[in-house]
Amino acid sequence: MENLNVYEKPVTLNNILKFAVPTIVMTVFMSFYTMVDGLFVSNLIGTNALSAINLTAPIIQLVTAISTMLATGGSAVIMKKMGEHKTDEAKEDFTFLILINVIVGIVMCIVGYLTMHQIFAGMNLSSDVERYCMEYLSRYLAFTVPILLMNNFTLYMIASEKANLSLACSVTGGVLNMVLDYVFIAGVDMGISGAAIATGLGYSVTAVVGLFVFSHKKSLLHFKKPVLRFKVLVSAATNGCSEMATALVTGIITMMFNWTMLHYVGEDGVAAVTIIMYVLMFVSSLYTGYSYGVAPMLSFYYGEQNHEKLKKLVAVSLKVITFISVITVAASFLLTKPLVSVFARLDNPVHALAVTGNRICTVALFFIGFNIFASGMFTALSNGVVSAVLAFSRSFVFMLIAMIVLPLLLGVNGIWLATPAAELMALALSVFLFLKYRKRYGY
């Protein structure tokens, strides 16, 4: 029971933050991986290469979608079993799901190489941008299996009370990515290929460490002879389908942003969208990190039917998210020009586009945190259906409506307003479902 002490402690802000802060810092560093690529690529190669990174994002999001589904859904299923004291069964399921990740990663890598040429050839891109897309994605796909393992081991380390180790892996991977970006791009002139390899090697740190950590039986979760339980895979996929939907439709919406910007502005617009997405991705990582951090606690308390702790955890979480929302909105408004200037010079037309876009999109930061937490909470409570409805509505349905209607009415500014409008609609749905299921789960 010593390993479970964290779940037995009183639910206070201090104890929650001790559990969640390492996860928040970790996800922030993970968000840096793509941002650092953009920083080096835009300054050392050019904004055409920066556009290429954004154009490859939908395919990369597909890899992220599958791994996120298996990681978040699997963690919820396994930690619920730990709360029910089915420890041996939980370890068997854990090992089984990790093997599934490896198989899925190999298949996705092969399919990616077979189809990427046709994907980019149909976009009517300039020859330079298309070449950059092919170079970046071909190197990135080589790391598909480590990326899937990284996403899974990150959450399982947190669930096993090794959040600090997970944080150390993310920081190490982030620093390695930054160093290798400079070495590969500026030092040995590998161009955009170097950026992709640097990112892949950064991701691989957590994957390699996780293999060693979970091989030791002293870990709360560790590898054990797997048992094929198809029901477990279905449960993990069902519980994690909302997170998969979020990642997957994010890729679809990214394509819509790109196509719309290409229509209204051209490739400079795609580069501006990339910069705005970095800002939104950074802030979203704060909420995602917090949700990942408290998810094992939510699942554990739900498994042992401890409604008092569950209610206290949710109440404190909503206060934390409110505080972060106010701070990030203020910071984004005040730091818009310095943030954009990191990626684009003042004389570059991308700069003016991105400054306007960021100021408009910043409004969305008032709502994003609550929507991310609501979806993550229902996943942790093993209600993947409600979580999926929230995630799919927020990331696809509402965004699709906003992206179709607002640009027709307001032009380029309508494109920027689509994100705040979609998040506001999603907030209304989150509040409705939160209140609807309050008595059922006792939070």
Side-chain angles (χ1 to χ4, degrees):
M1 293 297 293
E2 183 179 351
N3 286 332
L4 300 178
N5 280 343
V6 67
Y7 299 104
E8 297 174 344
K9 292 178 180 178
V11 179
T12 63
L13 176 61
N14 188 47
N15 286 335
I16 293 172
L17 291 181
K18 282 181 180 178
F19 203 66
V21 166
T23 317
I24 294 172
V25 177
M26 174 198 65
T27 53
V28 167
F29 263 89
M30 288 172 64
S31 74
F32 279 162
Y33 285 29
T34 305
M35 293 175 68
V36 168
D37 278 352
L39 176 63
F40 280 98
V41 165
S42 62
N43 285 281
L44 297 178
I45 305 176
T47 53
N48 276 350
L50 182 63
S51 299
I53 290 181
N54 195 19
L55 290 165
T56 60
I59 301 172
I60 291 171
Q61 286 291 346
L62 178 59
V63 177
T64 303
I66 300 297
S67 62
T68 302
M69 174 189 71
L70 293 172
T72 56
S75 177
V77 171
I78 289 168
M79 290 313 297
K80 183 173 181 289
K81 286 189 176 182
M82 294 293 285
E84 296 168 345
H85 305 295
K86 300 177 181 178
T87 54
D88 288 338
E89 192 174 321
K91 293 168 187 174
E92 293 166 354
D93 294 342
F94 161 68
T95 310
F96 168 61
L97 291 174
I98 293 300
L99 288 175
I100 292 296
N101 273 273
V102 173
I103 295 170
V104 169
I106 293 171
V107 172
M108 292 182 71
C109 179
I110 294 171
V111 173
Y113 277 114
L114 293 175
T115 59
M116 65 179 177
H117 179 74
Q118 290 85 347
I119 292 172
F120 296 122
M123 288 187 179
N124 295 319
L125 303 172
S126 66
S127 58
D128 280 347
V129 173
E130 184 177 342
R131 175 172 55 83
Y132 285 139
C133 288
M134 294 289 292
E135 287 183 18
Y136 187 83
L137 187 60
S138 62
R139 274 61 170 188
Y140 190 96
L141 285 173
F143 296 93
T144 304
V145 171
I147 290 170
L148 264 71
L149 291 178
M150 179 275 298
N151 280 336
N152 280 263
F153 287 153
T154 292
L155 291 190
Y156 287 121
M157 284 182 190
I158 296 165
S160 299
E161 298 183 55
K162 299 182 186 298
N164 288 329
L165 176 60
S166 184
L167 170 60
C169 290
S170 296
V171 172
T172 302
V175 172
L176 180 64
N177 184 23
M178 295 177 198
V179 172
L180 292 181
D181 262 328
Y182 182 77
V183 171
F184 290 160
I185 298 175
V188 295
D189 197 26
M190 292 178 65
I192 199 170
S193 299
I197 295 171
T199 299
L201 291 174
Y203 281 142
S204 299
V205 171
T206 302
V208 172
V209 172
L211 289 172
F212 282 101
V213 168
F214 293 113
S215 295
H216 292 288
K217 293 184 178 181
K218 291 183 179 180
S219 176
L220 180 63
L221 282 175
H222 58 77
F223 295 131
K224 191 173 184 177
K225 185 178 179 179
V227 175
L228 176 58
R229 295 188 181 94
F230 186 71
K231 183 179 179 181
V232 170
L233 179 58
V234 172
S235 296
T238 302
N239 285 332
C241 65
S242 62
E243 280 69 22
M244 181 188 73
T246 300
L248 188 59
V249 301
T250 296
I252 297 172
I253 293 301
T254 299
M255 284 195 294
M256 288 184 62
F257 266 108
N258 291 339
W259 290 337
T260 308
M261 273 299 184
L262 284 170
H263 173 71
Y264 279 92
V265 184
E267 290 174 353
D268 284 343
V270 176
V273 167
T274 308
I275 296 171
I276 304 307
M277 285 188 172
Y278 286 158
V279 176
L280 292 175
M281 178 176 63
F282 172 79
V283 176
S284 295
S285 70
L286 297 174
Y287 304 119
T288 302
Y290 182 84
S291 297
Y292 282 173
V294 300
M297 300 172 73
L298 289 166
S299 299
F300 191 91
Y301 296 149
Y302 174 58
E304 69 175 6
Q305 292 296 295
N306 193 328
H307 297 296
E308 183 180 349
K309 284 189 173 182
L310 195 59
K311 184 181 295 185
K312 184 69 179 295
L313 179 57
V314 172
V316 173
S317 295
L318 292 176
K319 293 177 183 177
V320 170
I321 290 169
T322 300
F323 176 78
I324 296 175
S325 298
V326 173
I327 295 298
T328 53
V329 167
S332 183
F333 270 119
L334 292 173
L335 300 176
T336 288
K337 286 189 176 180
L339 285 170
V340 172
S341 297
V342 171
F343 296 95
R345 295 185 177 91
L346 287 171
D347 58 349
N348 192 320
V350 172
H351 187 277
L353 278 169
V355 167
T356 300
N358 189 68
R359 284 175 173 161
I360 296 173
C361 284
T362 291
V363 178
L365 304 184
F366 278 120
F367 320 123
I368 289 176
F370 297 101
N371 294 327
I372 290 175
F373 176 75
S375 179
M377 181 187 74
F378 283 112
T379 297
L381 296 174
S382 295
N383 194 332
V385 174
V386 171
S387 184
V389 169
L390 277 171
F392 187 74
S393 298
R394 168 188 173 237
S395 301
F396 186 70
V397 177
F398 297 146
M399 278 297 298
L400 183 63
I401 294 171
M403 281 294 296
I404 291 174
V405 175
L406 294 179
L408 291 175
L409 297 174
L410 304 170
V412 175
N413 285 341
I415 301 174
W416 300 129
L417 278 170
T419 300
E423 293 292 345
L424 180 58
M425 289 187 281
L427 179 63
L429 180 60
S430 295
V431 171
F432 170 75
L433 292 173
F434 183 88
L435 295 176
K436 179 180 179 180
Y437 287 93
R438 197 167 194 170
K439 288 184 178 179
R440 175 174 172 179
Y441 293 106
Y443 53 72

